[in-house]
Every structure is written in structure tokens, then in C-alpha cells.
């Protein structure tokens, strides 16, 4: 080790070997394609109105909600609510059942669990299954 005196401070130079680090191989890594797929799914959830839609559908005793029942609690117009519902259906979170002129929506069983378990290393940790 070398010593150097700079501005009245004693500094020691330490040789740390080769520059950079050599991390151990990381287990459970996600491929770029898996990450892109999961990011698209998470984008569907990354909207306050869509999270509220999921909460309203999940909290409904019949577990099925008509689009007409969502406009007032969300404070949004029917076309806007329909857009959010379409995003959630396309992402696989909600199922749509058309009855006459109305559409009814229900949660797809296991869809939210699938998002959590898609993250490598999450299953079995932090109490999530």
C-alpha cells in the first residue's frame, strides 16, 4: 500500500485487484421476452381506474358486474369505463359475457396470482404462493 499526503489528509491507496466486479451467476433470472410479456400485463394494472374496476368486480357479491353498474362508482363515462374493461379483458384479468345489449364482467380465476408468481424467486417468499 502506498501513502499519499493531499491537503493535509493521510490517504492510503489500496490495490483491489482487477477493475469491476465478478458477480456470482444469478439464479432465477427472467428472460427479456418474459420481462416484456410481464411488463405488458403490469401496464394493464398500472392505472388507478383499472385497479378500482378490479376491486369493484372482486367485491361484488355475485362476482359479476355489468358495465352499466361501474360508471357511477368510478365517476367515468360509459365509453371510458368500456375502454378500461377492454384493457383488463385483453390482459386476461376479466372475462366478458355479452347478454343482449349489456356486457357482464367477472374475474378470471388465478389471473392476479399468475402475475405475482411470474416474478422469479417470488413464489414461496414473502408469504405469496
Amino acid at each position: 500500500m502506498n501513502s499519499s499526503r493531499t491537503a493535509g489528509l493521510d490517504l492510503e491507496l489500496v490495490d483491489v485487484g482487477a477493475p469491476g466486479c465478478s458477480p456470482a451467476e444469478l439464479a432465477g433470472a427472467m428472460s427479456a421476452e418474459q420481462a416484456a410479456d410481464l411488463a405488458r400485463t403490469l401496464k394493464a394494472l398500472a392505472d388507478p381506474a383499472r385497479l378500482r374496476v378490479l376491486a369493484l368486480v372482486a367485491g361484488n357479491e355475485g362476482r359479476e358486474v355489468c358495465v352499466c353498474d361501474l360508471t357511477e362508482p368510478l365517476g367515468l363515462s360509459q365509453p371510458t369505463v368500456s375502454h378500461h374493461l377492454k384493457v383488463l379483458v385483453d390482459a386476461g384479468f376479466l372475462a366478458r359475457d355479452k347478454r343482449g345489449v349489456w356486457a357482464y364482467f367477472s374475474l378470471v380465476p388465478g389471473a392476479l396470482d399468475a402475475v405475482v408468481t411470474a416474478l422469479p424467486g417470488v413464489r414461496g417468499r414473502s408469504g405469496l404462493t
Side-chain angles (χ1 to χ4, degrees), residues 78-127:
Q78 189 272 327
T80 301
V81 172
S82 291
H83 165 73
H84 289 303
L85 289 166
K86 181 182 182 331
V87 171
L88 291 168
V89 168
D90 290 347
F93 293 109
L94 293 179
R96 181 178 184 264
D97 182 28
K98 181 125 167 119
R99 299 179 197 154
V101 296
W102 297 109
Y104 291 81
F105 298 85
S106 59
L107 289 177
V108 172
L112 292 171
D113 294 334
V115 172
V116 173
T117 58
L119 294 169
V122 172
R123 176 175 267 166
R125 288 190 183 171
S126 66

Side-chain angles (χ1 to χ4, degrees), residues 10 24 33 48 51 57 60 74 81 86 89 92 94 109 129:
D10 285 330
E33 184 178 334
L51 289 172
V57 173
N60 185 35
L74 292 171
V81 172
K86 181 182 182 331
V89 168
L94 293 179
T129 55

Side-chain angles (χ1 to χ4, degrees), residues 24-30 120-121 125:
E25 187 173 321
L26 301 176
M30 179 183 282
R125 288 190 183 171

Side-chain angles (χ1 to χ4, degrees), residues 3-113:
S3 288
S4 175
R5 193 149 177 85
T6 306
L9 299 174
D10 285 330
L11 302 175
E12 281 192 37
L13 301 176
V14 178
D15 182 11
V16 294
C21 66
S22 306
E25 187 173 321
L26 301 176
M30 179 183 282
S31 73
E33 184 178 334
Q34 289 170 318
D37 289 343
L38 183 57
R40 278 189 292 277
T41 301
L42 292 173
K43 282 181 185 179
L45 294 176
D47 182 277
R50 290 194 280 271
L51 289 172
R52 290 184 67 210
V53 166
L54 287 174
L56 288 167
V57 173
N60 185 35
E61 205 166 303
R63 299 286 192 240
E64 207 173 44
V65 176
C66 177
V67 63
C68 63
D69 295 326
L70 294 171
T71 55
E72 187 177 325
L74 292 171
L76 300 171
S77 68
Q78 189 272 327
T80 301
V81 172
S82 291
H83 165 73
H84 289 303
L85 289 166
K86 181 182 182 331
V87 171
L88 291 168
V89 168
D90 290 347
F93 293 109
L94 293 179
R96 181 178 184 264
D97 182 28
K98 181 125 167 119
R99 299 179 197 154
V101 296
W102 297 109
Y104 291 81
F105 298 85
S106 59
L107 289 177
V108 172
L112 292 171
D113 294 334

